[in-house]
Amino acid sequence: MTETSHWEEHPNYPLSDWQTEVANGDTRQSYREWWENLHDQVMVEQRQQTELRHKRIRNIATEQYFDAGDHKFDETSQVSEGEGNGAFVQCWVWASFVDTDLDKTKA
């Protein structure tokens, strides 16, 4: 967020809106406190919407890859959505040690 001085109007939060709220008795905050509070609320709502979308994307990934049995997605799996018609979803993949130098059954 761009730093503004005490006297500057924030481009996304009109001074006239704050003045209306003050006149109606809806806020006792200073103009700066008022728009910072509104901005924080917007950011929380955007994060919540993003998390809901990422949850849906994780569900789609689970539906598409669950049958394979070798992929596991959880609620903390990272989601990277770009311009394409899909998204990358971080997953757990089982790496078998059988017949490798890390095979635990061979002593």
Side-chain angles (χ1 to χ4, degrees), residues 52-101:
L52 287 174
R53 182 173 179 82
H54 285 184
K55 182 177 182 177
R56 177 64 183 123
I57 292 168
R58 287 185 205 101
N59 288 340
I60 290 170
T62 299
E63 291 167 8
Q64 292 176 351
Y65 292 99
F66 183 74
D67 289 339
D70 55 355
H71 298 84
K72 179 169 174 35
F73 302 94
D74 57 37
E75 64 277 354
T76 61
S77 296
Q78 294 294 313
V79 174
S80 178
E81 189 173 3
E83 296 297 320
N85 191 22
F88 290 100
V89 181
Q90 179 187 36
C91 70
W92 293 95
V93 178
W94 179 255
S96 174
F97 293 163
V98 174
D99 296 327
T100 72
D101 60 325

Side-chain angles (χ1 to χ4, degrees), residues 8-96:
E8 288 181 282
E9 182 172 356
H10 192 287
N12 298 332
Y13 306 100
L15 186 59
S16 60
D17 289 355
W18 170 76
Q19 290 169 328
T20 299
E21 287 200 20
V22 170
N24 291 338
D26 295 331
T27 188
R28 293 180 58 126
Q29 296 175 319
S30 70
Y31 171 66
R32 186 175 185 106
E33 290 170 331
W34 174 81
W35 69 253
E36 285 177 343
N37 186 41
L38 285 178
H39 180 74
D40 289 346
Q41 290 174 18
V42 167
M43 296 304 293
V44 166
E45 290 171 8
Q46 288 176 346
R47 280 192 299 271
Q48 290 171 340
Q49 289 172 358
T50 297
E51 186 49 42
L52 287 174
R53 182 173 179 82
H54 285 184
K55 182 177 182 177
R56 177 64 183 123
I57 292 168
R58 287 185 205 101
N59 288 340
I60 290 170
T62 299
E63 291 167 8
Q64 292 176 351
Y65 292 99
F66 183 74
D67 289 339
D70 55 355
H71 298 84
K72 179 169 174 35
F73 302 94
D74 57 37
E75 64 277 354
T76 61
S77 296
Q78 294 294 313
V79 174
S80 178
E81 189 173 3
E83 296 297 320
N85 191 22
F88 290 100
V89 181
Q90 179 187 36
C91 70
W92 293 95
V93 178
W94 179 255
S96 174

